[in-house]
mmCIF file of all heavy atoms in Angstrom:
data_model
loop_
_atom_site.group_PDB
_atom_site.id
_atom_site.type_symbol
_atom_site.label_atom_id
_atom_site.label_comp_id
_atom_site.label_asym_id
_atom_site.label_seq_id
_atom_site.Cartn_x
_atom_site.Cartn_y
_atom_site.Cartn_z
ATOM 1 N N PHE A 1250 16.419 62.510 -27.055
ATOM 2 C CA PHE A 1250 16.162 61.103 -26.968
ATOM 3 C C PHE A 1250 17.095 60.391 -27.927
ATOM 4 O O PHE A 1250 16.684 59.748 -28.842
ATOM 5 C CB PHE A 1250 14.680 60.817 -27.308
ATOM 6 C CG PHE A 1250 13.756 61.568 -26.379
ATOM 7 C CD1 PHE A 1250 13.207 62.779 -26.752
ATOM 8 C CD2 PHE A 1250 13.526 61.094 -25.073
ATOM 9 C CE1 PHE A 1250 12.388 63.486 -25.854
ATOM 10 C CE2 PHE A 1250 12.710 61.817 -24.203
ATOM 11 C CZ PHE A 1250 12.135 63.015 -24.591
ATOM 12 N N TRP A 1252 21.156 58.636 -28.647
ATOM 13 C CA TRP A 1252 22.444 58.057 -28.234
ATOM 14 C C TRP A 1252 23.500 58.583 -29.175
ATOM 15 O O TRP A 1252 23.275 58.715 -30.368
ATOM 16 C CB TRP A 1252 22.435 56.534 -28.374
ATOM 17 C CG TRP A 1252 21.494 55.823 -27.482
ATOM 18 C CD1 TRP A 1252 20.276 55.306 -27.837
ATOM 19 C CD2 TRP A 1252 21.670 55.543 -26.085
ATOM 20 N NE1 TRP A 1252 19.708 54.716 -26.741
ATOM 21 C CE2 TRP A 1252 20.539 54.845 -25.644
ATOM 22 C CE3 TRP A 1252 22.678 55.817 -25.170
ATOM 23 C CZ2 TRP A 1252 20.363 54.410 -24.346
ATOM 24 C CZ3 TRP A 1252 22.512 55.400 -23.860
ATOM 25 C CH2 TRP A 1252 21.370 54.695 -23.473
ATOM 26 N N ILE A 1284 18.052 60.348 -16.344
ATOM 27 C CA ILE A 1284 18.530 58.985 -16.299
ATOM 28 C C ILE A 1284 18.042 58.209 -17.511
ATOM 29 O O ILE A 1284 16.851 58.180 -17.800
ATOM 30 C CB ILE A 1284 18.132 58.263 -14.998
ATOM 31 C CG1 ILE A 1284 18.622 59.014 -13.795
ATOM 32 C CG2 ILE A 1284 18.678 56.826 -14.975
ATOM 33 C CD1 ILE A 1284 18.169 58.390 -12.457
ATOM 34 N N HIS A 1285 18.987 57.636 -18.242
ATOM 35 C CA HIS A 1285 18.648 56.721 -19.347
ATOM 36 C C HIS A 1285 19.235 55.362 -18.981
ATOM 37 O O HIS A 1285 19.913 55.236 -17.965
ATOM 38 C CB HIS A 1285 19.272 57.218 -20.656
ATOM 39 C CG HIS A 1285 18.859 58.623 -21.048
ATOM 40 N ND1 HIS A 1285 17.711 58.887 -21.756
ATOM 41 C CD2 HIS A 1285 19.438 59.817 -20.745
ATOM 42 C CE1 HIS A 1285 17.615 60.200 -21.921
ATOM 43 N NE2 HIS A 1285 18.644 60.804 -21.296
ATOM 44 N N SER A 1286 18.999 54.365 -19.826
ATOM 45 C CA SER A 1286 19.577 53.056 -19.543
ATOM 46 C C SER A 1286 19.968 52.376 -20.846
ATOM 47 O O SER A 1286 19.173 52.311 -21.783
ATOM 48 C CB SER A 1286 18.578 52.193 -18.773
ATOM 49 O OG SER A 1286 19.147 50.935 -18.472
ATOM 50 N N CYS A 1320 16.763 52.297 -25.072
ATOM 51 C CA CYS A 1320 16.816 52.941 -23.754
ATOM 52 C C CYS A 1320 15.726 52.293 -22.905
ATOM 53 O O CYS A 1320 14.558 52.233 -23.291
ATOM 54 C CB CYS A 1320 16.530 54.441 -23.869
ATOM 55 S SG CYS A 1320 16.412 55.278 -22.270
ATOM 56 N N THR A 1321 16.108 51.812 -21.709
ATOM 57 C CA THR A 1321 15.142 51.086 -20.894
ATOM 58 C C THR A 1321 14.821 51.822 -19.602
ATOM 59 O O THR A 1321 14.454 51.236 -18.607
ATOM 60 C CB THR A 1321 15.629 49.675 -20.539
ATOM 61 O OG1 THR A 1321 16.886 49.797 -19.896
ATOM 62 C CG2 THR A 1321 15.801 48.825 -21.780
ATOM 63 N N GLU A 1322 15.002 53.166 -19.607
ATOM 64 C CA GLU A 1322 14.621 53.919 -18.426
ATOM 65 C C GLU A 1322 13.664 55.033 -18.949
ATOM 66 O O GLU A 1322 14.028 55.787 -19.845
ATOM 67 C CB GLU A 1322 15.837 54.586 -17.784
ATOM 68 C CG GLU A 1322 15.591 55.279 -16.468
ATOM 69 C CD GLU A 1322 15.354 54.274 -15.356
ATOM 70 O OE1 GLU A 1322 16.157 53.326 -15.202
ATOM 71 O OE2 GLU A 1322 14.356 54.427 -14.638
ATOM 72 N N LEU A 1323 12.454 55.075 -18.394
ATOM 73 C CA LEU A 1323 11.478 56.072 -18.836
ATOM 74 C C LEU A 1323 12.070 57.465 -18.684
ATOM 75 O O LEU A 1323 12.364 57.904 -17.573
ATOM 76 C CB LEU A 1323 10.192 55.976 -18.023
ATOM 77 C CG LEU A 1323 9.069 56.907 -18.451
ATOM 78 C CD1 LEU A 1323 8.647 56.646 -19.890
ATOM 79 C CD2 LEU A 1323 7.875 56.772 -17.524
ATOM 80 N N CYS A 1324 12.374 58.141 -19.821
ATOM 81 C CA CYS A 1324 13.168 59.370 -19.736
ATOM 82 C C CYS A 1324 12.441 60.568 -20.348
ATOM 83 O O CYS A 1324 13.031 61.620 -20.507
ATOM 84 C CB CYS A 1324 14.518 59.153 -20.427
ATOM 85 S SG CYS A 1324 14.387 58.571 -22.135
ATOM 86 N N GLY A 1325 11.169 60.447 -20.656
ATOM 87 C CA GLY A 1325 10.412 61.581 -21.167
ATOM 88 C C GLY A 1325 9.531 61.157 -22.323
ATOM 89 O O GLY A 1325 9.370 59.980 -22.610
ATOM 90 N N HIS A 1328 10.861 58.684 -24.944
ATOM 91 C CA HIS A 1328 11.564 57.491 -24.457
ATOM 92 C C HIS A 1328 11.475 56.287 -25.414
ATOM 93 O O HIS A 1328 12.445 55.647 -25.707
ATOM 94 C CB HIS A 1328 11.017 57.137 -23.062
ATOM 95 C CG HIS A 1328 11.291 55.730 -22.652
ATOM 96 N ND1 HIS A 1328 12.566 55.269 -22.378
ATOM 97 C CD2 HIS A 1328 10.464 54.659 -22.483
ATOM 98 C CE1 HIS A 1328 12.483 53.990 -22.050
ATOM 99 N NE2 HIS A 1328 11.235 53.589 -22.107
ATOM 100 N N MET A 1331 13.817 56.262 -28.285
ATOM 101 C CA MET A 1331 15.245 56.387 -28.045
ATOM 102 C C MET A 1331 15.936 55.064 -28.324
ATOM 103 O O MET A 1331 16.334 54.329 -27.429
ATOM 104 C CB MET A 1331 15.505 56.858 -26.605
ATOM 105 C CG MET A 1331 16.943 57.303 -26.399
ATOM 106 S SD MET A 1331 17.107 58.144 -24.841
ATOM 107 C CE MET A 1331 18.903 58.043 -24.653
HETATM 108 CU CU1 LIG B 1349 16.299 57.557 -22.668
HETATM 109 CU CU2 LIG B 1349 14.328 56.320 -22.161
#
Side-chain angles (χ1 to χ4, degrees):
F1250 301 98
W1252 295 102
I1284 302 177
H1285 304 272
S1286 181
C1320 175
T1321 57
E1322 188 73 50
L1323 183 59
C1324 56
H1328 160 68
M1331 194 168 162

